[in-house]
């Protein structure tokens, strides 16, 4: 079931990008990842605020424990993980929020 799930989300296919993941204080490693940039809408009182977000899906098998401050480089762009990573229901993929490095 795990491989079928990863293929459905593109993590094992050509739709995934190859990136360089570097844990804070660790060695860089190549990972497959899907970079997404959805718009975010946040409620603040009666107002709704629009913002650009950058999220990345990483395979748990390649990145066991992503943390705030770890660095990811994809297609010449460098990012830092911000916030707490979230695992999917099947515990195969991490989703992390990013900010420019």
């Amino acid at each position: 079931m795990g491989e079928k799930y990863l293929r459905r989300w593109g993590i094992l296919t050509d739709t995934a990008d190859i990136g360089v993941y570097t844990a804070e204080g660790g060695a860089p490693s190549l990972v497959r990842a899907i970079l997404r940039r959805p718009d975010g809408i946040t409620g603040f009182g009666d107002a709704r605020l629009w913002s650009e977000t950058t999220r990345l899906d990483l395979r748990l098998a390649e990145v066991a424990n992503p943390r705030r401050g770890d660095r990811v480089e994809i297609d010449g762009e460098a990012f830092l993980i911000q916030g707490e990573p979230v695992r999917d229901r099947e515990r195969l993929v991490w989703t992390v929020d990013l900010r420019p490095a």
Side-chain angles (χ1 to χ4, degrees):
M1 170 163 165
E3 185 172 326
K4 182 178 178 182
Y5 175 82
L6 292 173
R7 286 193 190 286
R8 183 176 73 198
W9 287 102
I11 300 288
L12 291 180
T13 66
D14 292 335
T15 60
D17 294 315
I18 300 297
V20 178
Y21 176 86
T22 308
E24 193 169 26
S29 61
L30 292 177
V31 295
R32 289 187 200 128
I34 295 178
L35 187 64
R36 298 180 288 127
R37 297 178 192 245
D39 293 340
I41 298 176
T42 306
F44 184 75
D46 290 335
R48 291 172 33 124
L49 304 173
W50 170 84
S51 62
E52 294 178 349
T53 62
T54 304
R55 293 192 180 114
L56 187 70
D57 292 335
L58 297 164
R59 292 180 58 198
L60 186 74
E62 294 177 338
V63 181
N65 193 19
R67 297 178 189 223
R68 185 179 308 175
D70 291 353
R71 182 182 177 95
V72 179
E73 294 180 36
I74 294 180
D75 293 332
E77 292 185 83
F79 302 96
L80 295 175
I81 294 176
Q82 65 179 3
E84 292 299 317
V86 177
R87 277 190 285 201
D88 67 325
R89 183 175 58 177
E90 286 82 12
R91 298 191 173 275
L92 297 172
V93 177
W94 287 106
T95 298
V96 295
D97 287 322
L98 303 175
R99 65 178 173 84

